[in-house]
PDB file of all heavy atoms in Angstrom:
ATOM      1  N   ARG A   1      94.418  61.731 129.088  1.00  0.00           N
ATOM      2  CA  ARG A   1      95.758  62.154 129.253  1.00  0.00           C
ATOM      3  C   ARG A   1      96.688  61.042 129.759  1.00  0.00           C
ATOM      4  O   ARG A   1      96.215  60.241 130.598  1.00  0.00           O
ATOM      5  CB  ARG A   1      95.787  63.259 130.198  1.00  0.00           C
ATOM      6  CG  ARG A   1      97.197  63.820 130.643  1.00  0.00           C
ATOM      7  CD  ARG A   1      97.077  64.976 131.604  1.00  0.00           C
ATOM      8  NE  ARG A   1      96.513  66.171 130.930  1.00  0.00           N
ATOM      9  CZ  ARG A   1      96.453  67.361 131.505  1.00  0.00           C
ATOM     10  NH1 ARG A   1      97.039  67.555 132.685  1.00  0.00           N
ATOM     11  NH2 ARG A   1      95.967  68.369 130.850  1.00  0.00           N
ATOM     12  N   ILE A   2      97.924  60.900 129.345  1.00  0.00           N
ATOM     13  CA  ILE A   2      98.811  59.924 129.782  1.00  0.00           C
ATOM     14  C   ILE A   2     100.193  60.506 130.075  1.00  0.00           C
ATOM     15  O   ILE A   2     100.564  61.604 129.543  1.00  0.00           O
ATOM     16  CB  ILE A   2      98.913  58.827 128.686  1.00  0.00           C
ATOM     17  CG1 ILE A   2      99.355  59.415 127.372  1.00  0.00           C
ATOM     18  CG2 ILE A   2      97.730  58.029 128.553  1.00  0.00           C
ATOM     19  CD1 ILE A   2      99.618  58.415 126.277  1.00  0.00           C
ATOM     20  N   VAL A   3     100.975  59.843 130.999  1.00  0.00           N
ATOM     21  CA  VAL A   3     102.367  60.047 131.123  1.00  0.00           C
ATOM     22  C   VAL A   3     103.152  59.008 130.599  1.00  0.00           C
ATOM     23  O   VAL A   3     102.945  57.804 130.864  1.00  0.00           O
ATOM     24  CB  VAL A   3     102.643  60.243 132.624  1.00  0.00           C
ATOM     25  CG1 VAL A   3     104.203  60.527 132.811  1.00  0.00           C
ATOM     26  CG2 VAL A   3     101.869  61.357 133.241  1.00  0.00           C
ATOM     27  N   VAL A   4     104.071  59.337 129.647  1.00  0.00           N
ATOM     28  CA  VAL A   4     104.863  58.383 128.951  1.00  0.00           C
ATOM     29  C   VAL A   4     106.397  58.514 129.354  1.00  0.00           C
ATOM     30  O   VAL A   4     106.944  59.597 129.396  1.00  0.00           O
ATOM     31  CB  VAL A   4     104.757  58.572 127.375  1.00  0.00           C
ATOM     32  CG1 VAL A   4     105.645  57.593 126.629  1.00  0.00           C
ATOM     33  CG2 VAL A   4     103.352  58.500 126.931  1.00  0.00           C
ATOM     34  N   LYS A   5     106.953  57.361 129.576  1.00  0.00           N
ATOM     35  CA  LYS A   5     108.377  57.313 129.948  1.00  0.00           C
ATOM     36  C   LYS A   5     109.058  56.927 128.624  1.00  0.00           C
ATOM     37  O   LYS A   5     108.878  55.865 128.026  1.00  0.00           O
ATOM     38  CB  LYS A   5     108.649  56.206 130.984  1.00  0.00           C
ATOM     39  CG  LYS A   5     110.199  56.181 131.360  1.00  0.00           C
ATOM     40  CD  LYS A   5     110.430  55.097 132.423  1.00  0.00           C
ATOM     41  CE  LYS A   5     111.883  55.108 132.863  1.00  0.00           C
ATOM     42  NZ  LYS A   5     112.163  54.051 133.806  1.00  0.00           N
ATOM     43  N   ILE A   6     109.950  57.794 128.119  1.00  0.00           N
ATOM     44  CA  ILE A   6     110.673  57.608 126.869  1.00  0.00           C
ATOM     45  C   ILE A   6     111.733  56.393 126.910  1.00  0.00           C
ATOM     46  O   ILE A   6     112.480  56.325 127.922  1.00  0.00           O
ATOM     47  CB  ILE A   6     111.359  58.880 126.397  1.00  0.00           C
ATOM     48  CG1 ILE A   6     110.399  60.023 126.280  1.00  0.00           C
ATOM     49  CG2 ILE A   6     112.153  58.631 125.098  1.00  0.00           C
ATOM     50  CD1 ILE A   6     109.303  59.771 125.171  1.00  0.00           C
ATOM     51  N   THR A   7     111.575  55.506 125.939  1.00  0.00           N
ATOM     52  CA  THR A   7     112.410  54.255 125.941  1.00  0.00           C
ATOM     53  C   THR A   7     113.356  54.179 124.798  1.00  0.00           C
ATOM     54  O   THR A   7     113.950  53.176 124.498  1.00  0.00           O
ATOM     55  CB  THR A   7     111.480  53.065 125.997  1.00  0.00           C
ATOM     56  OG1 THR A   7     110.678  53.058 124.836  1.00  0.00           O
ATOM     57  CG2 THR A   7     110.718  52.998 127.239  1.00  0.00           C
ATOM     58  N   SER A   8     113.457  55.315 124.014  1.00  0.00           N
ATOM     59  CA  SER A   8     114.373  55.449 122.823  1.00  0.00           C
ATOM     60  C   SER A   8     115.108  56.718 122.827  1.00  0.00           C
ATOM     61  O   SER A   8     114.583  57.697 123.237  1.00  0.00           O
ATOM     62  CB  SER A   8     113.543  55.146 121.559  1.00  0.00           C
ATOM     63  OG  SER A   8     112.600  56.260 121.332  1.00  0.00           O
ATOM     64  N   ARG A   9     116.309  56.609 122.232  1.00  0.00           N
ATOM     65  CA  ARG A   9     117.026  57.826 121.978  1.00  0.00           C
ATOM     66  C   ARG A   9     116.658  58.471 120.599  1.00  0.00           C
ATOM     67  O   ARG A   9     116.143  57.779 119.785  1.00  0.00           O
ATOM     68  CB  ARG A   9     118.545  57.575 121.939  1.00  0.00           C
ATOM     69  CG  ARG A   9     119.075  57.019 123.311  1.00  0.00           C
ATOM     70  CD  ARG A   9     120.587  56.752 123.319  1.00  0.00           C
ATOM     71  NE  ARG A   9     120.966  56.425 124.582  1.00  0.00           N
ATOM     72  CZ  ARG A   9     121.026  55.184 125.125  1.00  0.00           C
ATOM     73  NH1 ARG A   9     120.541  54.213 124.344  1.00  0.00           N
ATOM     74  NH2 ARG A   9     121.470  54.945 126.296  1.00  0.00           N
ATOM     75  N   PRO A  10     116.894  59.795 120.449  1.00  0.00           N
ATOM     76  CA  PRO A  10     116.599  60.407 119.147  1.00  0.00           C
ATOM     77  C   PRO A  10     117.314  59.608 118.009  1.00  0.00           C
ATOM     78  O   PRO A  10     118.550  59.222 118.071  1.00  0.00           O
ATOM     79  CB  PRO A  10     117.155  61.762 119.297  1.00  0.00           C
ATOM     80  CG  PRO A  10     117.185  62.048 120.677  1.00  0.00           C
ATOM     81  CD  PRO A  10     117.408  60.737 121.388  1.00  0.00           C
ATOM     82  N   GLY A  11     116.637  59.403 116.916  1.00  0.00           N
ATOM     83  CA  GLY A  11     117.283  58.572 115.768  1.00  0.00           C
ATOM     84  C   GLY A  11     117.136  57.099 116.003  1.00  0.00           C
ATOM     85  O   GLY A  11     117.578  56.351 115.100  1.00  0.00           O
ATOM     86  N   GLU A  12     116.734  56.638 117.090  1.00  0.00           N
ATOM     87  CA  GLU A  12     116.606  55.197 117.364  1.00  0.00           C
ATOM     88  C   GLU A  12     115.155  54.738 117.688  1.00  0.00           C
ATOM     89  O   GLU A  12     115.027  53.749 118.316  1.00  0.00           O
ATOM     90  CB  GLU A  12     117.521  54.790 118.525  1.00  0.00           C
ATOM     91  CG  GLU A  12     119.008  55.076 118.268  1.00  0.00           C
ATOM     92  CD  GLU A  12     119.928  54.702 119.423  1.00  0.00           C
ATOM     93  OE1 GLU A  12     119.342  54.170 120.440  1.00  0.00           O
ATOM     94  OE2 GLU A  12     121.121  54.921 119.344  1.00  0.00           O
ATOM     95  N   THR A  13     114.234  55.545 117.270  1.00  0.00           N
ATOM     96  CA  THR A  13     112.813  55.234 117.503  1.00  0.00           C
ATOM     97  C   THR A  13     112.395  53.993 116.651  1.00  0.00           C
ATOM     98  O   THR A  13     113.098  53.581 115.738  1.00  0.00           O
ATOM     99  CB  THR A  13     111.881  56.456 117.213  1.00  0.00           C
ATOM    100  OG1 THR A  13     111.929  56.650 115.904  1.00  0.00           O
ATOM    101  CG2 THR A  13     112.314  57.560 117.955  1.00  0.00           C
ATOM    102  N   PHE A  14     111.247  53.473 116.917  1.00  0.00           N
ATOM    103  CA  PHE A  14     110.758  52.352 116.208  1.00  0.00           C
ATOM    104  C   PHE A  14     110.552  52.718 114.748  1.00  0.00           C
ATOM    105  O   PHE A  14     110.876  51.894 113.820  1.00  0.00           O
ATOM    106  CB  PHE A  14     109.340  51.957 116.831  1.00  0.00           C
ATOM    107  CG  PHE A  14     108.815  50.733 116.228  1.00  0.00           C
ATOM    108  CD1 PHE A  14     109.552  49.497 116.364  1.00  0.00           C
ATOM    109  CD2 PHE A  14     107.585  50.717 115.600  1.00  0.00           C
ATOM    110  CE1 PHE A  14     108.959  48.350 115.807  1.00  0.00           C
ATOM    111  CE2 PHE A  14     107.088  49.541 115.039  1.00  0.00           C
ATOM    112  CZ  PHE A  14     107.832  48.331 115.233  1.00  0.00           C
ATOM    113  N   VAL A  15     110.064  53.951 114.424  1.00  0.00           N
ATOM    114  CA  VAL A  15     109.854  54.304 113.103  1.00  0.00           C
ATOM    115  C   VAL A  15     111.175  54.506 112.347  1.00  0.00           C
ATOM    116  O   VAL A  15     111.292  54.098 111.199  1.00  0.00           O
ATOM    117  CB  VAL A  15     109.072  55.713 113.044  1.00  0.00           C
ATOM    118  CG1 VAL A  15     109.087  56.246 111.591  1.00  0.00           C
ATOM    119  CG2 VAL A  15     107.648  55.527 113.486  1.00  0.00           C
ATOM    120  N   ASP A  16     112.301  54.981 113.051  1.00  0.00           N
ATOM    121  CA  ASP A  16     113.530  55.078 112.482  1.00  0.00           C
ATOM    122  C   ASP A  16     114.110  53.684 112.072  1.00  0.00           C
ATOM    123  O   ASP A  16     114.705  53.432 110.993  1.00  0.00           O
ATOM    124  CB  ASP A  16     114.516  55.747 113.448  1.00  0.00           C
ATOM    125  CG  ASP A  16     114.253  57.209 113.631  1.00  0.00           C
ATOM    126  OD1 ASP A  16     113.943  57.875 112.658  1.00  0.00           O
ATOM    127  OD2 ASP A  16     114.303  57.730 114.772  1.00  0.00           O
ATOM    128  N   ARG A  17     113.907  52.745 112.965  1.00  0.00           N
ATOM    129  CA  ARG A  17     114.279  51.431 112.620  1.00  0.00           C
ATOM    130  C   ARG A  17     113.402  50.769 111.455  1.00  0.00           C
ATOM    131  O   ARG A  17     114.143  50.077 110.613  1.00  0.00           O
ATOM    132  CB  ARG A  17     114.094  50.454 113.837  1.00  0.00           C
ATOM    133  CG  ARG A  17     115.016  50.852 115.045  1.00  0.00           C
ATOM    134  CD  ARG A  17     114.691  50.180 116.372  1.00  0.00           C
ATOM    135  NE  ARG A  17     114.725  48.714 116.219  1.00  0.00           N
ATOM    136  CZ  ARG A  17     114.192  47.860 117.055  1.00  0.00           C
ATOM    137  NH1 ARG A  17     113.571  48.368 118.136  1.00  0.00           N
ATOM    138  NH2 ARG A  17     114.248  46.608 116.941  1.00  0.00           N
ATOM    139  N   MET A  18     112.191  51.085 111.430  1.00  0.00           N
ATOM    140  CA  MET A  18     111.392  50.590 110.327  1.00  0.00           C
ATOM    141  C   MET A  18     111.934  51.124 109.045  1.00  0.00           C
ATOM    142  O   MET A  18     112.044  50.529 107.950  1.00  0.00           O
ATOM    143  CB  MET A  18     109.916  50.986 110.488  1.00  0.00           C
ATOM    144  CG  MET A  18     109.230  50.196 111.538  1.00  0.00           C
ATOM    145  SD  MET A  18     107.483  50.858 111.824  1.00  0.00           S
ATOM    146  CE  MET A  18     106.759  50.465 110.166  1.00  0.00           C
ATOM    147  N   ILE A  19     112.216  52.448 108.976  1.00  0.00           N
ATOM    148  CA  ILE A  19     112.703  53.081 107.757  1.00  0.00           C
ATOM    149  C   ILE A  19     113.992  52.451 107.331  1.00  0.00           C
ATOM    150  O   ILE A  19     114.159  52.149 106.157  1.00  0.00           O
ATOM    151  CB  ILE A  19     112.951  54.618 107.942  1.00  0.00           C
ATOM    152  CG1 ILE A  19     111.573  55.306 108.213  1.00  0.00           C
ATOM    153  CG2 ILE A  19     113.703  55.258 106.829  1.00  0.00           C
ATOM    154  CD1 ILE A  19     111.692  56.739 108.655  1.00  0.00           C
ATOM    155  N   ARG A  20     114.936  52.183 108.283  1.00  0.00           N
ATOM    156  CA  ARG A  20     116.200  51.651 107.883  1.00  0.00           C
ATOM    157  C   ARG A  20     116.039  50.207 107.319  1.00  0.00           C
ATOM    158  O   ARG A  20     116.744  49.765 106.290  1.00  0.00           O
ATOM    159  CB  ARG A  20     117.179  51.582 109.048  1.00  0.00           C
ATOM    160  CG  ARG A  20     117.735  53.001 109.395  1.00  0.00           C
ATOM    161  CD  ARG A  20     118.924  52.887 110.373  1.00  0.00           C
ATOM    162  NE  ARG A  20     118.511  52.308 111.647  1.00  0.00           N
ATOM    163  CZ  ARG A  20     118.226  53.007 112.660  1.00  0.00           C
ATOM    164  NH1 ARG A  20     118.087  54.369 112.526  1.00  0.00           N
ATOM    165  NH2 ARG A  20     117.932  52.401 113.806  1.00  0.00           N
ATOM    166  N   LEU A  21     115.144  49.494 107.944  1.00  0.00           N
ATOM    167  CA  LEU A  21     114.913  48.052 107.511  1.00  0.00           C
ATOM    168  C   LEU A  21     114.286  47.931 106.215  1.00  0.00           C
ATOM    169  O   LEU A  21     114.589  47.216 105.344  1.00  0.00           O
ATOM    170  CB  LEU A  21     114.102  47.384 108.634  1.00  0.00           C
ATOM    171  CG  LEU A  21     114.866  47.088 109.976  1.00  0.00           C
ATOM    172  CD1 LEU A  21     113.955  46.666 111.003  1.00  0.00           C
ATOM    173  CD2 LEU A  21     115.903  45.916 109.635  1.00  0.00           C
ATOM    174  N   VAL A  22     113.163  48.788 105.969  1.00  0.00           N
ATOM    175  CA  VAL A  22     112.485  48.594 104.734  1.00  0.00           C
ATOM    176  C   VAL A  22     113.308  49.172 103.515  1.00  0.00           C
ATOM    177  O   VAL A  22     113.076  48.785 102.444  1.00  0.00           O
ATOM    178  CB  VAL A  22     111.105  49.289 104.743  1.00  0.00           C
ATOM    179  CG1 VAL A  22     110.183  48.660 105.763  1.00  0.00           C
ATOM    180  CG2 VAL A  22     111.187  50.787 104.988  1.00  0.00           C
ATOM    181  N   GLU A  23     114.154  50.054 103.893  1.00  0.00           N
ATOM    182  CA  GLU A  23     115.036  50.670 102.833  1.00  0.00           C
ATOM    183  C   GLU A  23     116.131  49.564 102.373  1.00  0.00           C
ATOM    184  O   GLU A  23     116.815  49.723 101.355  1.00  0.00           O
ATOM    185  CB  GLU A  23     115.827  51.888 103.223  1.00  0.00           C
ATOM    186  CG  GLU A  23     114.901  53.183 103.102  1.00  0.00           C
ATOM    187  CD  GLU A  23     115.701  54.373 103.369  1.00  0.00           C
ATOM    188  OE1 GLU A  23     116.572  54.328 104.198  1.00  0.00           O
ATOM    189  OE2 GLU A  23     115.435  55.418 102.698  1.00  0.00           O
ATOM    190  N   GLY A  24     116.349  48.591 103.341  1.00  0.00           N
ATOM    191  CA  GLY A  24     117.372  47.558 103.041  1.00  0.00           C
ATOM    192  C   GLY A  24     118.730  47.961 103.525  1.00  0.00           C
ATOM    193  O   GLY A  24     119.724  47.242 103.338  1.00  0.00           O
ATOM    194  N   ALA A  25     118.850  49.213 104.180  1.00  0.00           N
ATOM    195  CA  ALA A  25     120.149  49.598 104.625  1.00  0.00           C
ATOM    196  C   ALA A  25     120.889  48.673 105.654  1.00  0.00           C
ATOM    197  O   ALA A  25     122.072  48.545 105.647  1.00  0.00           O
ATOM    198  CB  ALA A  25     120.068  51.018 105.254  1.00  0.00           C
ATOM    199  N   SER A  26     119.962  48.017 106.416  1.00  0.00           N
ATOM    200  CA  SER A  26     120.568  47.166 107.394  1.00  0.00           C
ATOM    201  C   SER A  26     120.337  45.682 107.159  1.00  0.00           C
ATOM    202  O   SER A  26     120.430  44.782 107.971  1.00  0.00           O
ATOM    203  CB  SER A  26     119.981  47.492 108.830  1.00  0.00           C
ATOM    204  OG  SER A  26     118.560  47.238 108.820  1.00  0.00           O
ATOM    205  N   ARG A  27     119.905  45.390 105.869  1.00  0.00           N
ATOM    206  CA  ARG A  27     119.646  44.043 105.498  1.00  0.00           C
ATOM    207  C   ARG A  27     120.912  43.284 105.384  1.00  0.00           C
ATOM    208  O   ARG A  27     121.765  43.692 104.479  1.00  0.00           O
ATOM    209  CB  ARG A  27     118.705  43.937 104.266  1.00  0.00           C
ATOM    210  CG  ARG A  27     118.463  42.481 103.784  1.00  0.00           C
ATOM    211  CD  ARG A  27     117.768  42.435 102.444  1.00  0.00           C
ATOM    212  NE  ARG A  27     117.570  41.023 102.061  1.00  0.00           N
ATOM    213  CZ  ARG A  27     118.404  40.396 101.311  1.00  0.00           C
ATOM    214  NH1 ARG A  27     119.541  41.080 100.991  1.00  0.00           N
ATOM    215  NH2 ARG A  27     118.268  39.134 101.044  1.00  0.00           N
ATOM    216  N   GLN A  28     121.129  42.143 106.093  1.00  0.00           N
ATOM    217  CA  GLN A  28     122.307  41.351 105.832  1.00  0.00           C
ATOM    218  C   GLN A  28     121.924  40.031 105.141  1.00  0.00           C
ATOM    219  O   GLN A  28     120.849  39.569 105.358  1.00  0.00           O
ATOM    220  CB  GLN A  28     122.931  41.053 107.329  1.00  0.00           C
ATOM    221  CG  GLN A  28     123.366  42.249 108.112  1.00  0.00           C
ATOM    222  CD  GLN A  28     124.470  43.011 107.362  1.00  0.00           C
ATOM    223  OE1 GLN A  28     125.344  42.443 106.781  1.00  0.00           O
ATOM    224  NE2 GLN A  28     124.303  44.364 107.376  1.00  0.00           N
ATOM    225  N   LYS A  29     122.851  39.495 104.411  1.00  0.00           N
ATOM    226  CA  LYS A  29     122.632  38.215 103.701  1.00  0.00           C
ATOM    227  C   LYS A  29     122.355  37.137 104.808  1.00  0.00           C
ATOM    228  O   LYS A  29     123.068  37.057 105.858  1.00  0.00           O
ATOM    229  CB  LYS A  29     123.680  37.848 102.800  1.00  0.00           C
ATOM    230  CG  LYS A  29     123.677  38.662 101.501  1.00  0.00           C
ATOM    231  CD  LYS A  29     124.845  38.141 100.590  1.00  0.00           C
ATOM    232  CE  LYS A  29     124.697  38.782  99.161  1.00  0.00           C
ATOM    233  NZ  LYS A  29     124.912  40.202  99.151  1.00  0.00           N
ATOM    234  N   THR A  30     121.408  36.200 104.547  1.00  0.00           N
ATOM    235  CA  THR A  30     121.197  35.127 105.434  1.00  0.00           C
ATOM    236  C   THR A  30     122.170  34.005 105.220  1.00  0.00           C
ATOM    237  O   THR A  30     122.909  33.997 104.210  1.00  0.00           O
ATOM    238  CB  THR A  30     119.794  34.585 105.202  1.00  0.00           C
ATOM    239  OG1 THR A  30     119.624  33.987 103.931  1.00  0.00           O
ATOM    240  CG2 THR A  30     118.715  35.738 105.390  1.00  0.00           C
ATOM    241  N   PRO A  31     122.345  33.035 106.132  1.00  0.00           N
ATOM    242  CA  PRO A  31     123.254  32.011 106.002  1.00  0.00           C
ATOM    243  C   PRO A  31     122.982  31.161 104.749  1.00  0.00           C
ATOM    244  O   PRO A  31     123.874  30.791 104.046  1.00  0.00           O
ATOM    245  CB  PRO A  31     123.006  31.127 107.242  1.00  0.00           C
ATOM    246  CG  PRO A  31     122.554  32.116 108.277  1.00  0.00           C
ATOM    247  CD  PRO A  31     121.796  33.066 107.493  1.00  0.00           C
ATOM    248  N   ASN A  32     121.671  30.915 104.456  1.00  0.00           N
ATOM    249  CA  ASN A  32     121.384  30.151 103.288  1.00  0.00           C
ATOM    250  C   ASN A  32     121.702  30.916 102.007  1.00  0.00           C
ATOM    251  O   ASN A  32     122.247  30.370 101.023  1.00  0.00           O
ATOM    252  CB  ASN A  32     119.811  29.971 103.306  1.00  0.00           C
ATOM    253  CG  ASN A  32     119.367  29.084 102.093  1.00  0.00           C
ATOM    254  OD1 ASN A  32     119.393  29.388 100.973  1.00  0.00           O
ATOM    255  ND2 ASN A  32     118.823  27.916 102.398  1.00  0.00           N
ATOM    256  N   GLU A  33     121.481  32.254 102.076  1.00  0.00           N
ATOM    257  CA  GLU A  33     121.863  33.060 100.883  1.00  0.00           C
ATOM    258  C   GLU A  33     123.385  33.084 100.682  1.00  0.00           C
ATOM    259  O   GLU A  33     123.855  33.086  99.603  1.00  0.00           O
ATOM    260  CB  GLU A  33     121.313  34.505 101.097  1.00  0.00           C
ATOM    261  CG  GLU A  33     121.149  35.322  99.829  1.00  0.00           C
ATOM    262  CD  GLU A  33     120.404  36.603 100.141  1.00  0.00           C
ATOM    263  OE1 GLU A  33     119.805  36.705 101.219  1.00  0.00           O
ATOM    264  OE2 GLU A  33     120.495  37.474  99.352  1.00  0.00           O
ATOM    265  N   ILE A  34     124.103  33.194 101.794  1.00  0.00           N
ATOM    266  CA  ILE A  34     125.548  33.228 101.752  1.00  0.00           C
ATOM    267  C   ILE A  34     126.030  31.944 101.188  1.00  0.00           C
ATOM    268  O   ILE A  34     126.946  31.837 100.285  1.00  0.00           O
ATOM    269  CB  ILE A  34     126.236  33.435 103.110  1.00  0.00           C
ATOM    270  CG1 ILE A  34     125.883  34.907 103.574  1.00  0.00           C
ATOM    271  CG2 ILE A  34     127.752  33.307 103.097  1.00  0.00           C
ATOM    272  CD1 ILE A  34     126.248  35.105 105.020  1.00  0.00           C
ATOM    273  N   ALA A  35     125.448  30.742 101.576  1.00  0.00           N
ATOM    274  CA  ALA A  35     125.905  29.478 101.130  1.00  0.00           C
ATOM    275  C   ALA A  35     125.624  29.286  99.571  1.00  0.00           C
ATOM    276  O   ALA A  35     126.518  28.894  98.895  1.00  0.00           O
ATOM    277  CB  ALA A  35     125.182  28.387 101.867  1.00  0.00           C
ATOM    278  N   LEU A  36     124.556  29.910  99.214  1.00  0.00           N
ATOM    279  CA  LEU A  36     124.142  29.834  97.751  1.00  0.00           C
ATOM    280  C   LEU A  36     125.092  30.736  96.927  1.00  0.00           C
ATOM    281  O   LEU A  36     125.536  30.325  95.784  1.00  0.00           O
ATOM    282  CB  LEU A  36     122.738  30.202  97.473  1.00  0.00           C
ATOM    283  CG  LEU A  36     122.130  29.997  96.160  1.00  0.00           C
ATOM    284  CD1 LEU A  36     122.377  28.514  95.664  1.00  0.00           C
ATOM    285  CD2 LEU A  36     120.693  30.386  96.132  1.00  0.00           C
ATOM    286  N   ASN A  37     125.450  31.819  97.488  1.00  0.00           N
ATOM    287  CA  ASN A  37     126.427  32.761  96.841  1.00  0.00           C
ATOM    288  C   ASN A  37     127.716  32.039  96.599  1.00  0.00           C
ATOM    289  O   ASN A  37     128.530  32.110  95.598  1.00  0.00           O
ATOM    290  CB  ASN A  37     126.585  34.046  97.606  1.00  0.00           C
ATOM    291  CG  ASN A  37     125.739  35.193  96.998  1.00  0.00           C
ATOM    292  OD1 ASN A  37     125.651  35.303  95.870  1.00  0.00           O
ATOM    293  ND2 ASN A  37     125.085  35.899  97.885  1.00  0.00           N
ATOM    294  N   ILE A  38     128.188  31.336  97.758  1.00  0.00           N
ATOM    295  CA  ILE A  38     129.485  30.656  97.630  1.00  0.00           C
ATOM    296  C   ILE A  38     129.437  29.556  96.465  1.00  0.00           C
ATOM    297  O   ILE A  38     130.342  29.345  95.788  1.00  0.00           O
ATOM    298  CB  ILE A  38     129.794  30.000  99.012  1.00  0.00           C
ATOM    299  CG1 ILE A  38     130.123  31.124 100.031  1.00  0.00           C
ATOM    300  CG2 ILE A  38     130.889  29.050  98.862  1.00  0.00           C
ATOM    301  CD1 ILE A  38     130.270  30.614 101.413  1.00  0.00           C
ATOM    302  N   LEU A  39     128.255  28.802  96.465  1.00  0.00           N
ATOM    303  CA  LEU A  39     128.083  27.757  95.466  1.00  0.00           C
ATOM    304  C   LEU A  39     128.196  28.415  94.089  1.00  0.00           C
ATOM    305  O   LEU A  39     128.867  27.868  93.187  1.00  0.00           O
ATOM    306  CB  LEU A  39     126.800  27.030  95.723  1.00  0.00           C
ATOM    307  CG  LEU A  39     126.297  26.085  94.548  1.00  0.00           C
ATOM    308  CD1 LEU A  39     127.387  24.923  94.424  1.00  0.00           C
ATOM    309  CD2 LEU A  39     124.941  25.584  94.790  1.00  0.00           C
ATOM    310  N   LEU A  40     127.438  29.502  93.924  1.00  0.00           N
ATOM    311  CA  LEU A  40     127.496  30.118  92.558  1.00  0.00           C
ATOM    312  C   LEU A  40     128.799  30.691  92.156  1.00  0.00           C
ATOM    313  O   LEU A  40     129.232  30.562  91.088  1.00  0.00           O
ATOM    314  CB  LEU A  40     126.430  31.344  92.570  1.00  0.00           C
ATOM    315  CG  LEU A  40     125.019  30.977  92.786  1.00  0.00           C
ATOM    316  CD1 LEU A  40     124.137  32.176  92.802  1.00  0.00           C
ATOM    317  CD2 LEU A  40     124.512  29.922  91.757  1.00  0.00           C
ATOM    318  N   ALA A  41     129.585  31.148  93.161  1.00  0.00           N
ATOM    319  CA  ALA A  41     130.929  31.721  92.871  1.00  0.00           C
ATOM    320  C   ALA A  41     131.785  30.503  92.535  1.00  0.00           C
ATOM    321  O   ALA A  41     132.678  30.672  91.636  1.00  0.00           O
ATOM    322  CB  ALA A  41     131.444  32.346  94.101  1.00  0.00           C
ATOM    323  N   SER A  42     131.719  29.361  93.288  1.00  0.00           N
ATOM    324  CA  SER A  42     132.441  28.176  93.001  1.00  0.00           C
ATOM    325  C   SER A  42     132.241  27.736  91.491  1.00  0.00           C
ATOM    326  O   SER A  42     133.148  27.364  90.742  1.00  0.00           O
ATOM    327  CB  SER A  42     132.221  27.106  93.925  1.00  0.00           C
ATOM    328  OG  SER A  42     132.449  27.578  95.305  1.00  0.00           O
TER     329      SER A  42
END
């Protein structure tokens, strides 16, 4: 038996973050990727 102190709010758990990340919803372009996009646009 253990006593756990909750460190996350509903919807902000580690699994929730994993889901958002692997879905790509929070994926931002990296500086290298942005620079290459600018080159391609140019």
Side-chain angles (χ1 to χ4, degrees):
R1 174 179 293 188
I2 53 176
V3 178
V4 177
K5 182 179 181 180
I6 300 298
T7 58
S8 64
R9 295 181 176 87
E12 297 179 4
T13 65
F14 187 61
V15 173
D16 289 321
R17 292 168 61 193
M18 287 177 65
I19 291 171
R20 289 195 295 269
L21 288 166
V22 298
E23 279 187 325
S26 60
R27 179 185 176 272
Q28 302 295 321
K29 284 185 171 63
T30 64
N32 185 293
E33 200 172 346
I34 292 172
L36 188 53
N37 262 317
I38 293 173
L39 174 63
L40 298 180
S42 301

